[in-house]
Amino acid sequence: MPTKLAQQMNTLIRGQRPQAPAGQGKADEIRGLYKQGLQQLRGQRNMHPEARRVEIARLHATTQAALRKVQQEQLQADRETFTKLERQLWGFDDVRASAIGSADRAAVDGTVRDAQDRAGRLKKPGDAARALAAAEQAGDKVLARAIAKRAHDMDWDDVLGAYLSTRPTDAERYQQAADIYVRQHTTGGALEHGFLGSLGTPEELRGMSGKDIEAMAEPGDAAA
């Protein structure tokens, strides 16, 4: 999909709130465990204040590392999922899989190329709408998909919406791809992704940098 996908969200999905990434649940769980650990350390009245600060630094450093790992895993998962969705939406693997023998596969490939060429010659959304309607009436799913991809590339929302309106699975895939794009290519998405790996500094460590906290948590490693 082109990078302008977010601007091309069709009328079926426009205005909906992007679905929270899977990593958000993991991050929330990690932060919950962090808060519990912090409360437990603060509740140990017999612990020396400096020893408590060291333990809090260790808890903070461990939690921060875990959140960063979740952040990186989410980024990688988004990239892999986006590529998969793109292929499912606009590829023709399912059509090629139905071919039997090399001659049949060659015929399918020719049909795909012809459909893509015909779709590529469409210059106006009205022409694309009529071509899509004709393809749908003829049961030509290869041509219909090629036209939908052209509509997606050209930002012809009505045409793309007509295609997705009869394909709920593809509409869901398109929404999911749009959510990923928003996370990766918009200011709000960047902030959301940044928050995924963020962790506030507790009052016991206030004023310390991340490196200072790590040094307090693992003095031996810091010295090395």
Side-chain angles (χ1 to χ4, degrees), residues 2 24 26 31 36 60-61 63 72 74 77 83 97 99 102 112 119 121 148 165-166 169 186 202 206 209 211 213 216:
Q24 186 63 59
K26 293 182 181 179
R31 289 193 184 91
Q36 291 178 20
H60 187 279
T63 304
Q72 291 302 313
Q74 183 64 58
T83 298
S102 58
V112 170
R121 291 198 296 269
S165 67
T166 59
T169 298
T186 67
R206 190 168 298 165
S209 67
K211 289 185 177 180
I213 294 175
M216 178 181 286

PDB file of all heavy atoms in Angstrom, residues 2 24 26 31 36 60-61 63 72 74 77 83 97 99 102 112 119 121 148 165-166 169 186 202 206 209 211 213 216:
ATOM      1  N   PRO A   2       0.425   2.296  -0.648  1.00  0.00           N
ATOM      2  CA  PRO A   2       1.213   3.529  -0.631  1.00  0.00           C
ATOM      3  C   PRO A   2       1.146   4.181   0.743  1.00  0.00           C
ATOM      4  O   PRO A   2       0.255   3.917   1.533  1.00  0.00           O
ATOM      5  CB  PRO A   2       0.517   4.400  -1.681  1.00  0.00           C
ATOM      6  CG  PRO A   2      -0.886   3.899  -1.684  1.00  0.00           C
ATOM      7  CD  PRO A   2      -0.792   2.421  -1.446  1.00  0.00           C
ATOM      8  N   GLN A  24      -0.351  -2.933  23.647  1.00  0.00           N
ATOM      9  CA  GLN A  24      -0.873  -2.043  24.681  1.00  0.00           C
ATOM     10  C   GLN A  24      -1.293  -2.826  25.913  1.00  0.00           C
ATOM     11  O   GLN A  24      -1.039  -2.413  27.047  1.00  0.00           O
ATOM     12  CB  GLN A  24      -2.055  -1.251  24.139  1.00  0.00           C
ATOM     13  CG  GLN A  24      -2.570  -0.184  25.101  1.00  0.00           C
ATOM     14  CD  GLN A  24      -1.538   0.885  25.378  1.00  0.00           C
ATOM     15  OE1 GLN A  24      -1.075   1.545  24.454  1.00  0.00           O
ATOM     16  NE2 GLN A  24      -1.162   1.042  26.637  1.00  0.00           N
ATOM     17  N   LYS A  26      -0.081  -5.711  26.921  1.00  0.00           N
ATOM     18  CA  LYS A  26       1.123  -6.170  27.604  1.00  0.00           C
ATOM     19  C   LYS A  26       1.751  -5.047  28.408  1.00  0.00           C
ATOM     20  O   LYS A  26       2.182  -5.235  29.551  1.00  0.00           O
ATOM     21  CB  LYS A  26       2.131  -6.697  26.582  1.00  0.00           C
ATOM     22  CG  LYS A  26       1.705  -7.957  25.862  1.00  0.00           C
ATOM     23  CD  LYS A  26       2.797  -8.411  24.907  1.00  0.00           C
ATOM     24  CE  LYS A  26       2.398  -9.660  24.153  1.00  0.00           C
ATOM     25  NZ  LYS A  26       3.445 -10.088  23.195  1.00  0.00           N
ATOM     26  N   ARG A  31       3.047  -2.324  33.558  1.00  0.00           N
ATOM     27  CA  ARG A  31       2.952  -1.139  34.423  1.00  0.00           C
ATOM     28  C   ARG A  31       2.179  -1.448  35.707  1.00  0.00           C
ATOM     29  O   ARG A  31       2.478  -0.913  36.772  1.00  0.00           O
ATOM     30  CB  ARG A  31       2.294   0.021  33.674  1.00  0.00           C
ATOM     31  CG  ARG A  31       3.163   0.621  32.585  1.00  0.00           C
ATOM     32  CD  ARG A  31       2.605   1.950  32.101  1.00  0.00           C
ATOM     33  NE  ARG A  31       3.399   2.469  31.001  1.00  0.00           N
ATOM     34  CZ  ARG A  31       3.157   2.222  29.715  1.00  0.00           C
ATOM     35  NH1 ARG A  31       2.118   1.470  29.385  1.00  0.00           N
ATOM     36  NH2 ARG A  31       3.925   2.728  28.772  1.00  0.00           N
ATOM     37  N   GLN A  36       2.530  -2.316  41.661  1.00  0.00           N
ATOM     38  CA  GLN A  36       2.420  -3.191  42.824  1.00  0.00           C
ATOM     39  C   GLN A  36       3.769  -3.327  43.526  1.00  0.00           C
ATOM     40  O   GLN A  36       3.846  -3.260  44.762  1.00  0.00           O
ATOM     41  CB  GLN A  36       1.921  -4.569  42.394  1.00  0.00           C
ATOM     42  CG  GLN A  36       0.478  -4.594  41.910  1.00  0.00           C
ATOM     43  CD  GLN A  36       0.051  -5.975  41.446  1.00  0.00           C
ATOM     44  OE1 GLN A  36       0.668  -6.989  41.799  1.00  0.00           O
ATOM     45  NE2 GLN A  36      -1.003  -6.042  40.656  1.00  0.00           N
ATOM     46  N   HIS A  60      12.550  -0.159  38.494  1.00  0.00           N
ATOM     47  CA  HIS A  60      12.294   0.782  37.402  1.00  0.00           C
ATOM     48  C   HIS A  60      13.070   0.377  36.146  1.00  0.00           C
ATOM     49  O   HIS A  60      12.511   0.372  35.037  1.00  0.00           O
ATOM     50  CB  HIS A  60      12.696   2.193  37.835  1.00  0.00           C
ATOM     51  CG  HIS A  60      12.322   3.261  36.851  1.00  0.00           C
ATOM     52  ND1 HIS A  60      13.083   3.533  35.733  1.00  0.00           N
ATOM     53  CD2 HIS A  60      11.261   4.109  36.799  1.00  0.00           C
ATOM     54  CE1 HIS A  60      12.524   4.501  35.051  1.00  0.00           C
ATOM     55  NE2 HIS A  60      11.417   4.875  35.672  1.00  0.00           N
ATOM     56  N   ALA A  61      14.337   0.046  36.308  1.00  0.00           N
ATOM     57  CA  ALA A  61      15.171  -0.319  35.157  1.00  0.00           C
ATOM     58  C   ALA A  61      14.659  -1.592  34.485  1.00  0.00           C
ATOM     59  O   ALA A  61      14.605  -1.685  33.250  1.00  0.00           O
ATOM     60  CB  ALA A  61      16.617  -0.500  35.600  1.00  0.00           C
ATOM     61  N   THR A  63      11.569  -2.771  34.589  1.00  0.00           N
ATOM     62  CA  THR A  63      10.286  -2.472  33.953  1.00  0.00           C
ATOM     63  C   THR A  63      10.485  -1.693  32.659  1.00  0.00           C
ATOM     64  O   THR A  63       9.833  -1.964  31.644  1.00  0.00           O
ATOM     65  CB  THR A  63       9.397  -1.655  34.908  1.00  0.00           C
ATOM     66  OG1 THR A  63       9.235  -2.369  36.139  1.00  0.00           O
ATOM     67  CG2 THR A  63       8.032  -1.398  34.289  1.00  0.00           C
ATOM     68  N   GLN A  72       9.346  -2.583  20.773  1.00  0.00           N
ATOM     69  CA  GLN A  72      10.021  -3.097  19.586  1.00  0.00           C
ATOM     70  C   GLN A  72       9.256  -4.261  18.965  1.00  0.00           C
ATOM     71  O   GLN A  72       9.177  -4.380  17.735  1.00  0.00           O
ATOM     72  CB  GLN A  72      11.452  -3.528  19.942  1.00  0.00           C
ATOM     73  CG  GLN A  72      12.369  -2.370  20.273  1.00  0.00           C
ATOM     74  CD  GLN A  72      12.454  -1.365  19.125  1.00  0.00           C
ATOM     75  OE1 GLN A  72      12.639  -1.735  17.967  1.00  0.00           O
ATOM     76  NE2 GLN A  72      12.326  -0.080  19.449  1.00  0.00           N
ATOM     77  N   GLN A  74       6.058  -4.699  19.085  1.00  0.00           N
ATOM     78  CA  GLN A  74       4.872  -4.145  18.426  1.00  0.00           C
ATOM     79  C   GLN A  74       5.224  -3.558  17.067  1.00  0.00           C
ATOM     80  O   GLN A  74       4.493  -3.730  16.082  1.00  0.00           O
ATOM     81  CB  GLN A  74       4.236  -3.073  19.306  1.00  0.00           C
ATOM     82  CG  GLN A  74       2.951  -2.481  18.730  1.00  0.00           C
ATOM     83  CD  GLN A  74       1.852  -3.521  18.629  1.00  0.00           C
ATOM     84  OE1 GLN A  74       1.475  -4.130  19.618  1.00  0.00           O
ATOM     85  NE2 GLN A  74       1.325  -3.712  17.422  1.00  0.00           N
ATOM     86  N   ALA A  77       5.846  -6.453  14.720  1.00  0.00           N
ATOM     87  CA  ALA A  77       4.582  -7.126  14.415  1.00  0.00           C
ATOM     88  C   ALA A  77       3.749  -6.295  13.444  1.00  0.00           C
ATOM     89  O   ALA A  77       3.127  -6.837  12.521  1.00  0.00           O
ATOM     90  CB  ALA A  77       3.797  -7.384  15.695  1.00  0.00           C
ATOM     91  N   THR A  83       2.459  -5.961   5.822  1.00  0.00           N
ATOM     92  CA  THR A  83       2.866  -6.624   4.578  1.00  0.00           C
ATOM     93  C   THR A  83       1.915  -7.763   4.233  1.00  0.00           C
ATOM     94  O   THR A  83       1.518  -7.942   3.071  1.00  0.00           O
ATOM     95  CB  THR A  83       4.293  -7.164   4.718  1.00  0.00           C
ATOM     96  OG1 THR A  83       5.203  -6.072   4.956  1.00  0.00           O
ATOM     97  CG2 THR A  83       4.724  -7.893   3.455  1.00  0.00           C
ATOM     98  N   ALA A  97      -3.316 -20.107  -6.657  1.00  0.00           N
ATOM     99  CA  ALA A  97      -3.353 -21.399  -5.967  1.00  0.00           C
ATOM    100  C   ALA A  97      -4.361 -22.356  -6.608  1.00  0.00           C
ATOM    101  O   ALA A  97      -4.250 -23.577  -6.469  1.00  0.00           O
ATOM    102  CB  ALA A  97      -3.701 -21.193  -4.492  1.00  0.00           C
ATOM    103  N   ALA A  99      -4.748 -22.729  -9.780  1.00  0.00           N
ATOM    104  CA  ALA A  99      -4.241 -23.191 -11.075  1.00  0.00           C
ATOM    105  C   ALA A  99      -3.686 -24.607 -10.963  1.00  0.00           C
ATOM    106  O   ALA A  99      -3.091 -24.987  -9.953  1.00  0.00           O
ATOM    107  CB  ALA A  99      -3.162 -22.249 -11.581  1.00  0.00           C
ATOM    108  N   SER A 102       1.508 -26.038 -15.138  1.00  0.00           N
ATOM    109  CA  SER A 102       2.220 -24.843 -15.575  1.00  0.00           C
ATOM    110  C   SER A 102       1.434 -24.049 -16.602  1.00  0.00           C
ATOM    111  O   SER A 102       1.440 -22.813 -16.595  1.00  0.00           O
ATOM    112  CB  SER A 102       3.583 -25.230 -16.148  1.00  0.00           C
ATOM    113  OG  SER A 102       3.440 -26.143 -17.232  1.00  0.00           O
ATOM    114  N   VAL A 112      -4.201 -12.009 -14.720  1.00  0.00           N
ATOM    115  CA  VAL A 112      -3.881 -11.002 -13.701  1.00  0.00           C
ATOM    116  C   VAL A 112      -3.231  -9.785 -14.346  1.00  0.00           C
ATOM    117  O   VAL A 112      -3.598  -8.642 -14.055  1.00  0.00           O
ATOM    118  CB  VAL A 112      -2.957 -11.604 -12.623  1.00  0.00           C
ATOM    119  CG1 VAL A 112      -2.409 -10.501 -11.704  1.00  0.00           C
ATOM    120  CG2 VAL A 112      -3.697 -12.651 -11.803  1.00  0.00           C
ATOM    121  N   ALA A 119      -7.069  -1.936 -15.375  1.00  0.00           N
ATOM    122  CA  ALA A 119      -7.342  -1.065 -14.235  1.00  0.00           C
ATOM    123  C   ALA A 119      -6.430   0.152 -14.251  1.00  0.00           C
ATOM    124  O   ALA A 119      -6.848   1.269 -13.920  1.00  0.00           O
ATOM    125  CB  ALA A 119      -7.167  -1.839 -12.931  1.00  0.00           C
ATOM    126  N   ARG A 121      -5.397   1.781 -16.695  1.00  0.00           N
ATOM    127  CA  ARG A 121      -5.780   2.765 -17.711  1.00  0.00           C
ATOM    128  C   ARG A 121      -6.966   3.624 -17.284  1.00  0.00           C
ATOM    129  O   ARG A 121      -7.319   4.581 -17.982  1.00  0.00           O
ATOM    130  CB  ARG A 121      -6.103   2.046 -19.028  1.00  0.00           C
ATOM    131  CG  ARG A 121      -4.880   1.423 -19.706  1.00  0.00           C
ATOM    132  CD  ARG A 121      -5.156   1.128 -21.176  1.00  0.00           C
ATOM    133  NE  ARG A 121      -6.197   0.138 -21.354  1.00  0.00           N
ATOM    134  CZ  ARG A 121      -5.998  -1.178 -21.446  1.00  0.00           C
ATOM    135  NH1 ARG A 121      -4.763  -1.655 -21.353  1.00  0.00           N
ATOM    136  NH2 ARG A 121      -7.006  -2.017 -21.627  1.00  0.00           N
ATOM    137  N   ALA A 148     -10.183  -2.174  -7.626  1.00  0.00           N
ATOM    138  CA  ALA A 148     -10.198  -1.685  -6.244  1.00  0.00           C
ATOM    139  C   ALA A 148      -8.824  -1.177  -5.833  1.00  0.00           C
ATOM    140  O   ALA A 148      -8.702  -0.154  -5.148  1.00  0.00           O
ATOM    141  CB  ALA A 148     -10.653  -2.799  -5.306  1.00  0.00           C
ATOM    142  N   SER A 165     -17.762  -2.991   0.421  1.00  0.00           N
ATOM    143  CA  SER A 165     -19.085  -3.134   1.035  1.00  0.00           C
ATOM    144  C   SER A 165     -19.642  -4.542   0.894  1.00  0.00           C
ATOM    145  O   SER A 165     -20.487  -4.961   1.694  1.00  0.00           O
ATOM    146  CB  SER A 165     -20.063  -2.133   0.413  1.00  0.00           C
ATOM    147  OG  SER A 165     -20.302  -2.447  -0.955  1.00  0.00           O
ATOM    148  N   THR A 166     -19.178  -5.289  -0.100  1.00  0.00           N
ATOM    149  CA  THR A 166     -19.653  -6.664  -0.300  1.00  0.00           C
ATOM    150  C   THR A 166     -18.616  -7.688   0.150  1.00  0.00           C
ATOM    151  O   THR A 166     -18.799  -8.886  -0.070  1.00  0.00           O
ATOM    152  CB  THR A 166     -19.985  -6.908  -1.783  1.00  0.00           C
ATOM    153  OG1 THR A 166     -18.810  -6.688  -2.581  1.00  0.00           O
ATOM    154  CG2 THR A 166     -21.089  -5.968  -2.245  1.00  0.00           C
ATOM    155  N   THR A 169     -14.676  -9.323   5.047  1.00  0.00           N
ATOM    156  CA  THR A 169     -13.342  -9.748   5.486  1.00  0.00           C
ATOM    157  C   THR A 169     -12.278  -8.780   4.993  1.00  0.00           C
ATOM    158  O   THR A 169     -11.383  -8.379   5.745  1.00  0.00           O
ATOM    159  CB  THR A 169     -13.026 -11.168   4.982  1.00  0.00           C
ATOM    160  OG1 THR A 169     -13.970 -12.087   5.527  1.00  0.00           O
ATOM    161  CG2 THR A 169     -11.620 -11.582   5.404  1.00  0.00           C
ATOM    162  N   THR A 186       1.684   8.897  11.555  1.00  0.00           N
ATOM    163  CA  THR A 186       1.038  10.131  11.989  1.00  0.00           C
ATOM    164  C   THR A 186       1.614  10.577  13.328  1.00  0.00           C
ATOM    165  O   THR A 186       2.196   9.777  14.059  1.00  0.00           O
ATOM    166  CB  THR A 186      -0.484   9.951  12.149  1.00  0.00           C
ATOM    167  OG1 THR A 186      -0.752   9.049  13.238  1.00  0.00           O
ATOM    168  CG2 THR A 186      -1.107   9.408  10.873  1.00  0.00           C
ATOM    169  N   PRO A 202       9.681   7.548  39.493  1.00  0.00           N
ATOM    170  CA  PRO A 202       9.089   7.672  40.831  1.00  0.00           C
ATOM    171  C   PRO A 202       9.761   8.795  41.614  1.00  0.00           C
ATOM    172  O   PRO A 202      10.886   9.197  41.307  1.00  0.00           O
ATOM    173  CB  PRO A 202       9.362   6.308  41.462  1.00  0.00           C
ATOM    174  CG  PRO A 202      10.569   5.801  40.754  1.00  0.00           C
ATOM    175  CD  PRO A 202      10.451   6.300  39.346  1.00  0.00           C
ATOM    176  N   ARG A 206      13.528  11.010  41.477  1.00  0.00           N
ATOM    177  CA  ARG A 206      13.277  12.238  40.737  1.00  0.00           C
ATOM    178  C   ARG A 206      14.574  13.008  40.506  1.00  0.00           C
ATOM    179  O   ARG A 206      15.412  13.133  41.402  1.00  0.00           O
ATOM    180  CB  ARG A 206      12.270  13.115  41.482  1.00  0.00           C
ATOM    181  CG  ARG A 206      11.767  14.308  40.675  1.00  0.00           C
ATOM    182  CD  ARG A 206      10.570  14.923  41.374  1.00  0.00           C
ATOM    183  NE  ARG A 206       9.459  13.969  41.458  1.00  0.00           N
ATOM    184  CZ  ARG A 206       8.404  14.116  42.260  1.00  0.00           C
ATOM    185  NH1 ARG A 206       8.335  15.159  43.067  1.00  0.00           N
ATOM    186  NH2 ARG A 206       7.435  13.222  42.259  1.00  0.00           N
ATOM    187  N   SER A 209      18.592  10.756  35.562  1.00  0.00           N
ATOM    188  CA  SER A 209      18.406  10.361  34.172  1.00  0.00           C
ATOM    189  C   SER A 209      18.247   8.850  34.092  1.00  0.00           C
ATOM    190  O   SER A 209      18.495   8.129  35.068  1.00  0.00           O
ATOM    191  CB  SER A 209      19.614  10.790  33.336  1.00  0.00           C
ATOM    192  OG  SER A 209      20.765  10.050  33.728  1.00  0.00           O
ATOM    193  N   LYS A 211      20.107   6.812  32.501  1.00  0.00           N
ATOM    194  CA  LYS A 211      21.422   6.176  32.686  1.00  0.00           C
ATOM    195  C   LYS A 211      21.799   6.148  34.158  1.00  0.00           C
ATOM    196  O   LYS A 211      22.405   5.185  34.637  1.00  0.00           O
ATOM    197  CB  LYS A 211      22.481   6.928  31.875  1.00  0.00           C
ATOM    198  CG  LYS A 211      22.351   6.736  30.368  1.00  0.00           C
ATOM    199  CD  LYS A 211      23.494   7.413  29.631  1.00  0.00           C
ATOM    200  CE  LYS A 211      23.399   7.169  28.124  1.00  0.00           C
ATOM    201  NZ  LYS A 211      24.506   7.821  27.379  1.00  0.00           N
ATOM    202  N   ILE A 213      19.760   5.976  36.671  1.00  0.00           N
ATOM    203  CA  ILE A 213      18.943   4.943  37.316  1.00  0.00           C
ATOM    204  C   ILE A 213      19.509   3.565  37.015  1.00  0.00           C
ATOM    205  O   ILE A 213      19.599   2.698  37.900  1.00  0.00           O
ATOM    206  CB  ILE A 213      17.484   5.051  36.844  1.00  0.00           C
ATOM    207  CG1 ILE A 213      16.869   6.363  37.333  1.00  0.00           C
ATOM    208  CG2 ILE A 213      16.666   3.864  37.347  1.00  0.00           C
ATOM    209  CD1 ILE A 213      15.466   6.627  36.810  1.00  0.00           C
ATOM    210  N   MET A 216      22.554   2.963  39.093  1.00  0.00           N
ATOM    211  CA  MET A 216      22.216   2.640  40.481  1.00  0.00           C
ATOM    212  C   MET A 216      21.698   1.209  40.589  1.00  0.00           C
ATOM    213  O   MET A 216      21.998   0.498  41.556  1.00  0.00           O
ATOM    214  CB  MET A 216      21.167   3.611  41.005  1.00  0.00           C
ATOM    215  CG  MET A 216      20.718   3.309  42.436  1.00  0.00           C
ATOM    216  SD  MET A 216      19.463   4.433  43.062  1.00  0.00           S
ATOM    217  CE  MET A 216      20.454   5.899  43.343  1.00  0.00           C
TER     218      MET A 216
END
